Amino acid sequence: SKELNLITIICFICLHVKLHPSHLTKKPPSTLLSEKVAQMMEWTSKRSVIRMNGDKFRRFVRAPPRNYSVIIMFTALQPQRQCGVCRQADEEFQALANSWRYSSAFTNKVFFASVDFDEGSDVFQMLNMNSAPTFLHFPSKGKPRKADTYELQVRGFAAEQLARWVADRTDVQIRIIRPPNYAGPLLLGFLLAGIGGLAYLRRNNLEFLFNKNVWAFSALCFVLIMTSGQMWNHIRGPPYAHKNPSTGQISYIHGSSQAQFVAETHIVLLFNAAITMGMVMLCEAASSDLEIGKRKIMCVAGIALMMVFFSWLLSVFRAKYHGYPYSFLMS
């Protein structure tokens, strides 16, 4: 009887080991970590931005152990999503990742990855994310904090701005390296050549250089361009507009007074130009030698331009500065 019980126990133990061998194959954390880092390095050697789906995200970003940080861009690049901003942000993110991958300071402490909505919708649901593009930093220790979410609407998606944010979150300094762009110098060269050619053709009659209307028009164009926010766009690199991937609604006016879209500057430029045109027409109607009927038409048109476009400009101001109490013609 004792021998039978001993044989039964031995058989049970052997059967348990055969059916549940997990304790024999479980890898120590150090081995698992080294394998994860090696796999991330292999992917990075092929592509600076690692493409992740739900399984990769859970295994290499969410699951411990992990001693590296991951900067992830959540995007929607498929054509049916019609996210133009996502494509622009992806180009800047690629420039950032390439600059880090091919720099002399490259280490395995920071990796760059992307999760496309159509390849990892479960990740979007897991993180309660309903807009794209979005940049998140997953630190090597602990959970992401509020500062680990990049303020895209405020700072724009230029690679230089992203590099400053990465340096703030990871202490990794990345110098952005871009391929040479000859469009600017070529355009400037053509412009100077055109001006020189025009001056040569009119070399016997340069009175147009002393025409006050030409200089006044040039000065107005310069002032309108500078006051509409073009320099801010050049420095910050904001998106042209924002499209909500869940609703498909496109926003051309940023809802905050601390940021703007490129389309918003174009709208403001158009409104200011129309108001300026109305003021010029009023001045011409008061001082020109035209017939009285034409001067009345110019006066009415100038007043209409100023009233309508100033009302629209004020409505944009109210949309950005919430709580502003005043409006004109329209709210």
Side-chain angles (χ1 to χ4, degrees), residues 84-108:
V85 178
C86 294
R87 288 189 289 271
Q88 298 174 25
D90 181 67
E91 294 177 359
E92 294 297 311
F93 194 63
Q94 293 286 346
L96 172 66
N98 287 330
S99 299
W100 169 240
R101 170 65 184 84
Y102 297 105
S103 69
S104 58
F106 174 74
T107 64
N108 58 6

Side-chain angles (χ1 to χ4, degrees), residues 76 80-85 117 130-132 241-252:
Q80 65 269 20
R81 300 299 174 186
Q82 298 181 354
C83 183
V85 178
F117 180 79
N130 56 9
S131 64
H242 176 71
K243 181 178 181 180
N244 192 322
S246 59
T247 63
Q249 183 179 2
I250 301 177
S251 300
Y252 298 102

Side-chain angles (χ1 to χ4, degrees), residues 92-307:
E92 294 297 311
F93 194 63
Q94 293 286 346
L96 172 66
N98 287 330
S99 299
W100 169 240
R101 170 65 184 84
Y102 297 105
S103 69
S104 58
F106 174 74
T107 64
N108 58 6
K109 297 301 180 183
V110 177
F111 295 99
F112 291 88
S114 66
V115 177
D116 193 281
F117 180 79
D118 291 281
E119 298 175 359
S121 58
D122 53 336
V123 180
F124 279 72
Q125 296 176 0
M126 182 193 310
L127 300 176
N128 295 321
M129 192 175 302
N130 56 9
S131 64
T134 300
F135 299 92
L136 287 181
H137 166 240
F138 292 87
S140 57
K141 296 180 180 180
K143 296 181 179 180
R145 301 180 180 179
K146 183 178 181 181
D148 290 313
T149 301
Y150 180 71
E151 296 178 336
L152 177 65
Q153 309 299 339
V154 176
R155 307 177 68 171
F157 50 69
E160 290 77 8
Q161 293 292 334
L162 288 168
R164 295 189 185 98
W165 172 66
V166 171
D168 179 61
R169 304 313 305 161
T170 65
D171 294 329
V172 170
Q173 303 293 331
I174 303 176
R175 179 175 174 268
I176 303 301
I177 302 175
R178 297 180 182 272
N181 184 4
Y182 301 105
L186 285 175
L187 182 61
L188 180 61
F190 282 124
L191 178 62
L192 293 177
I195 295 175
L198 180 62
Y200 178 77
L201 294 175
R202 299 287 300 272
R203 61 185 181 277
N204 297 324
N205 184 11
L206 298 178
E207 294 181 358
F208 69 95
L209 294 176
F210 303 96
N211 190 319
K212 64 178 182 180
N213 291 329
V214 172
W215 288 105
F217 179 77
S218 301
L220 275 177
C221 292
F222 179 77
V223 170
L224 290 173
I225 291 173
M226 298 303 294
T227 56
S228 63
Q230 299 297 328
M231 288 301 297
W232 195 93
N233 293 342
H234 181 73
I235 295 172
R236 295 295 187 91
Y240 187 82
H242 176 71
K243 181 178 181 180
N244 192 322
S246 59
T247 63
Q249 183 179 2
I250 301 177
S251 300
Y252 298 102
I253 306 296
H254 197 284
S256 171
S257 61
Q258 304 298 319
Q260 66 184 17
F261 297 134
V262 175
E264 181 180 333
T265 61
H266 295 167
I267 294 172
V268 172
L269 173 61
L270 175 63
F271 288 176
N272 285 330
I275 294 172
T276 303
M277 179 61 68
M279 296 180 66
V280 171
M281 293 178 69
L282 286 176
C283 292
E284 287 294 319
S287 59
S288 67
D289 297 329
L290 296 174
E291 298 177 0
I292 187 66
K294 293 182 179 179
R295 293 169 63 183
K296 287 182 178 179
I297 293 175
M298 290 177 62
C299 183
V300 173
I303 292 175
L305 281 174
M306 291 185 61
M307 292 179 62

